[in-house]
Amino acid sequence: MGQLTFRGKLLAALGAALLILVCVAVLSYRRILQEDADQKSVEHTHLVLEKIDSVSSGLVEQENGQRAYPITKDNSFLRSYDAGLANLRQNLADLRKLTSDNPKQQAALDRLDPLVASRLALFKAYRQGIVTQDKQEIDDKQLMDEIRAVFLQMRQEEQNLLSKRLEAAESSSRRSKFIIASGYSLSFLLLALAGLVVQSEITKRIDTEHELKSVQERYHLLFDSNPIPVWVYDLETLAILDVNKEASRHYGYSRDEFLKLKITEIRPPEDVPALLADLSKSFSTEEDSTTWRHTKKSGEIIDVEIKSYPVRFGARDARLVAALDVTERKRAEEAVRQSEERFRLTVSNVKDYAILMLDTEGRVISWNEGAERIKGYRADEIIGQHFSRFYAAEDLKAGKPAAEIKEATENGRVEDEGWRVRKDGARFWANVVMTALRDESGSLRGFGKVTRDISERKRAEQEILQRSAELEAANRELEAFSYSVSHDLRSPLRAIDGFSQALLEDHAAQLDNDGKNYFQRIRAATQRMGELIDDLLGLSRVTRAEIHRERIDLSSLAEEVAADLRNSQPERDVEFRIGQGLQAEGDSRLIRVALQNLIGNSWKFTSKRPDAQIEFGLIRSNGRRAYFVRDNGAGFDQAYADRLFGAFQRLHGMNEFPGTGIGLATVQRIVHRHGGKVWAEGVVDQGATVYFTL
Amino acid sequence: MDDKVILLVEDNPDDEALTLRALKKNNIKNEVVVAHDGIEALDYLFGTGAYAGRDLNHMPQVVLLDLKLPKLDGFEVLRRLRASEPTKFLPVVILTTSNEDQDRIKGYGLGANSFVRKPVEFDRFIEAVRQLGLYWLILNERAPLPRSV
């Protein structure tokens, strides 16, 4: 609209200026004509005046001739007079003609004509002598005065006319000058105004153009250097009309390739119908934001978030599209979603643990199957309820729920074991772990709570505790008993033996052989009793001792035991065959006791053989390594093999072989305490083999 | 050798008689002071109670200490005499019936010089006493007694 105003203004100014100029031109032309006319009429007046003067001077010459003639009677005067007369007549005629437009002058001429004629007639009459000179002179003078008066009048008339005309011409010229000058001034003013308007308009247009240019540059900058793929497509043909660099880079098409594509061609074919349907309905929408799948030149399909706006592109209705690749984001979101789904399924299906979530106030917001099983509430009964209802009355009184919330908030976690209450009021012993859940910014979102019903375990633990206590008491008793046996049972034996000896030594004279024999038997019995007590204490010690497992060199242990036996009875000749490099894990003290008993037994039971052989080695039995001690001694009846390992069980008489019958029981105890097995094979008089594993 | 006193701390009269007999059998004629419980043993050693005014410059050559004693057991006696300056280095042989690990560990831990188990067989007991006498009364050199008491 401003344009139109500008154009109207400009046209009006220019039109007005033109009109004024035309007027001034017309006026000037007319002025020129007028001046011409004025000039002519002035000139005419001058001409009339001249004629008047020349007629007047002709008359004066005639008068002079008339006067001179009478004096001189020179005919030459008459001739010039006649010539002058013709001239006068001619001049008068000219004058009449010249003043034909002026009735006043014509009237004056009309008056003049008879005067001139009268004078001429007078002179003619003089010349003809009809009148005297005096008369003629007097009359002529009168006539001349009259003529002069007419001329004067005419002259005055003509002078008046001249001054009038000069004045008129001057005033007309002045007026014209003023009109022309003001016309020009006005039109110059208007032109200057128009010029100014044009100037300002041009400046304005230049500014606008600059601005337009910088806008265009900015637009290109924004469009081309936009880090998001952007293009414009024709709403009707769907052809891509313009595309930015990022789109080329991201989709793999060059700009030229892109401009040959339609937007349907960067979609997977199966998505095209949906796209067309969408386009047909969303033409009218101002702005649109949706997620689509696009195909790159490589064929790779990406997820994009599209934002589009309707635009005019040249003369076309088009749409500007910004396509943000969200493939990675969607993939991550999908992974998170799947993970959450898996987690949710896992949690909700867990039956052995109550897994629930609390809001920051402690109200239940999620509930799994385990929670329902353990606490007895269905999800719809408990969600929104405060978790304090799971606590026993005494814990509620003590403010435990609030304290646990506080601790979990402060330390991130709280663990508790204690009584909790089911919906039906029954109590169960629970292990509860409550963890504060915080979001990325660290603000508290709620609590995760895992509760296990460990009533069974608690019961079992209590039972074990009780058993342990009982066992410990029994052990203490046994220890006290052993200690007591060790001290108190041996003392009387020593007294019996000691005083028997004293009797035999100090009172031998008063004893016969039977008496001495009996005292000897008392002494043997007490000594055997001492051995029994020692062996029993050994067995008990083996039972009670703690096992310290370590790597043991069994071969050298067996060698040491053999050496001790040889030293105890150097007179015996026994062949030891001890396997080399045998190693085992076990308690070295106890294993030594076991080997002492086993090899000691072999030593004892081969005492009647001159070719005694004792072997220690390793065999494989049922896939297990078994050590063995074998001898070629007295052996035993396999039928009694099971009884061998019982305490005080003996297969030989005391007279045959001494012993307490506790050795193998001790060996069995040691092997069992190592988690192994022990068994024996024997043939009477051919030898025995005892096997053990560790 | 005769002025070297043996302090026998033993509550069981049978054991006391047998020990004295074993010493006699080995011809050990040193004076034997018998204390029948822990308190009596300490009274002798510190010159208190029944032994008040005893010349404390005269300390036994060796103490034969039983563990199971009335009033104050052998361990407590040992602990107290080791804590006292005059008896800190006194040779103490634990002479007892048991050979329980715990007793040996505790005995040595409290500073016993020797641990001997009394065998049931009297002949072997005599042999043990002979060796003890030989070692502690003849072979062993005691630490010097402190100057002042």
Side-chain angles (χ1 to χ4, degrees):
Chain A
M1 295 307 263
Q3 203 80 331
L4 253 135
T5 309
F6 159 72
R7 186 176 288 182
K9 271 194 276 187
L10 189 63
L11 279 178
L14 286 175
L18 195 65
L19 195 68
I20 290 165
L21 283 175
V22 167
C23 288
V24 168
V26 168
L27 207 65
S28 299
Y29 180 67
R30 275 179 55 193
R31 179 67 219 150
I32 288 163
L33 291 182
Q34 178 64 45
E35 264 183 15
D36 211 22
D38 287 347
Q39 186 70 37
K40 273 191 183 141
S41 78
V42 169
E43 270 171 22
H44 179 75
T45 312
H46 277 294
L47 209 59
V48 172
L49 277 174
E50 259 171 49
K51 271 305 171 201
I52 291 169
D53 284 345
S54 72
V55 170
S56 165
S57 64
L59 284 174
V60 171
E61 269 173 40
Q62 269 185 327
E63 190 186 5
N64 289 341
Q66 277 176 348
R67 278 182 193 164
Y69 179 69
I71 300 164
T72 62
K73 299 291 189 214
D74 187 351
N75 280 335
S76 66
F77 283 108
L78 287 175
R79 276 190 305 267
S80 89
Y81 176 84
D82 289 340
L85 188 66
N87 209 9
L88 179 68
R89 282 202 177 116
Q90 181 61 45
N91 278 340
L92 276 173
D94 286 349
L95 194 59
R96 185 165 284 275
K97 225 170 114 187
L98 278 172
T99 61
S100 60
D101 57 334
N102 191 335
K104 258 189 190 165
Q105 295 296 49
Q106 290 287 323
L109 280 175
D110 285 342
R111 268 187 290 124
L112 192 60
D113 277 349
L115 288 174
V116 171
S118 302
R119 195 172 165 233
L120 288 175
L122 183 61
F123 191 62
K124 202 175 182 179
Y126 164 66
R127 270 173 61 184
Q128 284 163 354
I130 305 160
V131 277
T132 67
Q133 191 180 352
D134 290 343
K135 171 102 175 121
Q136 186 257 333
E137 277 182 7
I138 294 164
D139 286 354
D140 190 57
K141 196 175 175 308
Q142 196 179 338
L143 278 171
M144 265 315 279
D145 287 343
E146 278 180 45
I147 286 168
R148 277 197 183 96
V150 172
F151 271 126
L152 193 67
Q153 189 196 338
M154 279 186 74
R155 207 178 166 79
Q156 271 173 347
E157 169 65 22
E158 216 44 47
Q159 284 288 0
N160 275 345
L161 209 58
L162 180 63
S163 67
K164 245 188 232 165
R165 278 182 178 162
L166 278 172
E167 199 182 332
E170 201 168 333
S171 108
S172 152
S173 155
R174 242 194 342 262
R175 204 165 51 246
S176 296
K177 273 182 196 152
F178 172 75
I179 289 171
I180 288 166
S182 42
Y184 276 125
S185 303
L186 195 60
S187 59
F188 279 134
L189 207 65
L190 282 169
L191 281 173
L193 201 66
L196 275 177
V197 170
V198 167
Q199 175 68 34
S200 100
E201 190 61 24
I202 284 169
T203 314
K204 219 189 278 176
R205 285 202 177 185
I206 286 170
D207 285 352
T208 312
E209 249 170 57
H210 276 304
E211 205 176 316
L212 201 63
K213 209 172 163 192
S214 86
V215 164
Q216 270 177 341
E217 275 168 9
R218 271 210 304 277
Y219 159 77
H220 266 290
L221 196 70
L222 288 177
F223 187 75
D224 253 343
S225 58
N226 195 322
I228 296 171
V230 176
W231 58 80
V232 178
Y233 70 89
D234 189 311
L235 268 185
E236 201 181 323
T237 65
L238 304 184
I240 290 172
L241 301 175
D242 199 358
V243 65
N244 77 344
K245 282 182 183 148
E246 178 58 18
S248 288
R249 197 193 66 72
H250 202 77
Y251 284 75
Y253 293 106
S254 73
R255 180 181 161 80
D256 290 341
E257 286 170 330
F258 236 124
L259 295 181
K260 286 178 190 135
L261 293 175
K262 294 183 171 187
I263 57 164
T264 49
E265 290 169 291
I266 53 168
R267 313 280 171 151
E270 63 270 26
D271 288 1
V272 171
L275 169 68
L276 295 176
D278 186 70
L279 286 173
S280 67
K281 70 170 192 281
S282 64
F283 270 3
S284 55
T285 58
E286 268 297 300
E287 187 187 317
D288 200 15
S289 177
T290 39
T291 307
W292 289 94
R293 297 195 304 160
H294 279 176
T295 316
K296 289 187 179 180
K297 189 182 182 185
S298 64
E300 184 194 340
I301 292 178
I302 55 172
D303 289 302
V304 288
E305 203 170 82
I306 297 242
K307 237 182 168 77
S308 68
Y309 309 87
V311 291
R312 288 286 293 176
F313 193 84
R316 307 293 302 168
D317 275 324
R319 230 173 147 79
L320 177 69
V321 175
L324 188 63
D325 187 342
V326 294
T327 313
E328 278 307 313
R329 199 182 76 197
K330 280 197 81 166
R331 205 169 290 160
E333 282 171 356
E334 178 61 17
V336 167
R337 198 193 60 71
Q338 283 184 0
S339 155
E340 278 178 355
E341 174 71 7
R342 273 199 302 276
F343 177 71
R344 199 185 57 73
L345 283 174
T346 308
V347 166
S348 67
N349 290 330
V350 165
K351 293 192 181 67
D352 294 335
Y353 293 79
I355 301 175
L356 50 142
M357 310 257 265
L358 307 177
D359 64 14
T360 51
E361 305 293 318
R363 284 183 295 264
V364 176
I365 52 178
S366 89
W367 194 250
N368 79 336
E369 207 175 316
E372 182 172 338
R373 196 183 66 77
I374 290 172
K375 297 180 193 265
Y377 297 95
R378 290 194 317 274
D380 58 325
E381 293 173 319
I382 198 68
I383 289 200
Q385 302 287 332
H386 198 266
F387 82 111
S388 56
R389 65 168 53 210
F390 307 136
Y391 286 75
E394 63 271 20
D395 287 341
L396 285 177
K397 203 181 251 176
K400 204 167 180 183
E404 288 188 355
I405 285 264
K406 184 165 177 280
E407 193 180 337
T409 307
E410 283 167 4
N411 304 337
R413 183 178 187 279
V414 60
E415 183 164 0
D416 180 43
E417 241 178 57
W419 291 113
R420 294 292 186 275
V421 183
R422 286 171 52 87
K423 183 189 174 190
D424 60 13
R427 286 184 168 206
F428 63 98
W429 188 263
N431 170 281
V432 181
V433 177
M434 188 149 84
T435 311
L437 304 175
R438 293 180 184 280
D439 62 17
E440 282 165 5
S441 68
S443 60
L444 187 69
R445 303 302 299 266
F447 302 92
K449 198 160 172 285
V450 178
T451 303
R452 268 184 303 158
D453 180 353
I454 52 165
S455 303
E456 275 308 311
R457 201 179 81 188
K458 178 79 179 169
R459 233 188 313 279
E461 272 175 10
Q462 274 174 336
E463 211 164 292
I464 286 169
L465 273 178
Q466 198 179 336
R467 291 254 174 92
S468 301
E470 284 169 10
L471 196 63
E472 211 170 300
N475 259 338
R476 268 199 306 274
E477 225 166 277
L478 184 64
E479 231 164 277
F481 173 72
S482 305
Y483 195 78
S484 165
V485 165
S486 172
H487 275 272
D488 300 344
L489 289 191
R490 278 161 52 92
S491 290
L493 287 179
R494 203 166 50 246
I496 294 167
D497 188 66
F499 289 117
S500 301
Q501 170 90 342
L503 279 171
L504 283 172
E505 284 175 6
D506 297 356
H507 304 279
Q510 289 147 281
L511 291 169
D512 59 8
N513 282 341
D514 276 351
K516 288 176 188 164
N517 184 20
Y518 294 153
F519 273 116
Q520 290 298 351
R521 282 174 185 257
I522 289 171
R523 289 198 65 202
T526 52
Q527 281 162 28
R528 183 167 156 67
M529 181 78 177
E531 280 169 24
L532 274 169
I533 289 170
D534 283 352
D535 284 357
L536 270 176
L537 285 175
L539 179 61
S540 147
R541 217 172 275 142
V542 161
T543 308
R544 284 178 291 138
E546 270 184 55
I547 301 264
H548 300 285
R549 281 189 178 268
E550 56 188 325
R551 196 102 196 120
I552 307 166
D553 184 346
L554 289 177
S555 299
S556 43
L557 204 55
E559 294 279 11
E560 282 171 34
V561 171
D564 287 348
L565 289 167
R566 279 205 194 96
N567 285 339
S568 69
Q569 287 178 284
E571 70 282 4
R572 281 194 59 187
D573 181 18
V574 178
E575 185 194 344
F576 278 100
R577 284 186 287 199
I578 293 172
Q580 292 306 297
L582 299 181
Q583 298 215 327
E585 290 271 325
D587 185 301
S588 63
R589 272 182 61 223
L590 293 184
I591 298 296
R592 179 187 286 274
V593 170
L595 286 180
Q596 278 170 342
N597 273 296
L598 290 173
I599 297 173
N601 274 349
S602 291
W603 179 268
K604 185 166 71 185
F605 291 113
T606 53
S607 58
K608 288 171 181 163
R609 285 203 175 271
D611 58 341
Q613 287 179 358
I614 299 174
E615 191 182 354
F616 174 64
L618 175 71
I619 60 157
R620 297 210 164 258
S621 162
N622 298 331
R624 259 191 109 179
R625 291 148 66 91
Y627 303 94
F628 66 91
V629 176
R630 179 177 292 144
D631 63 65
N632 58 350
F636 61 90
D637 185 343
Q638 188 66 29
Y640 303 116
D642 292 346
R643 291 171 54 191
L644 278 179
F645 296 98
F648 306 113
Q649 294 292 333
R650 287 178 52 83
L651 297 181
H652 303 277
M654 278 303 282
N655 294 335
E656 271 185 292
F657 298 101
T660 57
I662 292 174
L664 282 181
T666 304
V667 169
Q668 188 185 46
R669 192 65 57 85
I670 289 170
V671 169
H672 284 176
R673 292 213 60 196
H674 281 80
K677 275 171 69 179
V678 61
W679 66 98
E681 288 169 1
V683 177
V684 174
D685 288 336
Q686 289 189 18
T689 308
V690 179
Y691 300 90
F692 65 95
T693 61
L694 290 174
Chain B
M1 175 171 159
D2 290 349
D3 62 335
K4 292 177 179 172
V5 172
I6 298 169
L7 176 62
L8 175 65
V9 189
E10 176 62 80
D11 67 315
N12 185 330
D14 288 346
D15 277 337
E16 181 190 335
L18 289 171
T19 305
L20 293 177
R21 181 179 171 83
L23 288 168
K24 202 174 96 189
K25 281 273 171 192
N26 285 303
N27 282 319
I28 297 169
K29 297 194 172 70
N30 298 57
E31 185 192 347
V32 178
V33 175
V34 181
H36 299 92
D37 59 50
I39 298 290
E40 200 180 337
L42 291 179
D43 279 347
Y44 178 79
L45 290 171
F46 297 151
T48 51
Y51 291 98
R54 188 181 79 81
D55 177 9
L56 292 182
N57 287 319
H58 209 73
M59 279 294 174
Q61 185 70 13
V62 65
V63 179
L64 301 177
L65 181 65
D66 192 14
L67 289 178
K68 295 199 79 179
L69 297 169
K71 297 182 185 171
L72 218 58
D73 73 10
F75 293 122
E76 189 55 25
V77 172
L78 181 58
R79 199 183 63 74
R80 291 197 189 178
L81 62 90
R82 284 287 177 258
S84 171
E85 198 57 33
T87 52
K88 200 162 72 178
F89 298 124
L90 198 62
V92 174
V93 175
I94 292 176
L95 190 65
T96 181
T97 314
S98 92
N99 65 344
E100 290 285 310
D101 287 355
Q102 63 193 72
D103 285 351
R104 278 185 283 167
I105 290 166
K106 200 170 173 187
Y108 282 118
L110 288 171
N113 298 80
S114 193
F115 194 106
V116 176
R117 188 196 187 203
K118 289 183 258 187
V120 168
E121 196 181 342
F122 191 61
D123 295 334
R124 285 167 59 198
F125 183 55
I126 291 170
E127 173 60 17
V129 169
R130 188 187 69 79
Q131 288 190 22
L132 279 174
L134 182 67
Y135 182 80
W136 289 108
L137 299 175
I138 296 166
L139 213 51
N140 187 49
E141 294 281 348
R142 292 198 320 192
L145 283 173
R147 291 275 160 229
S148 62
V149 178

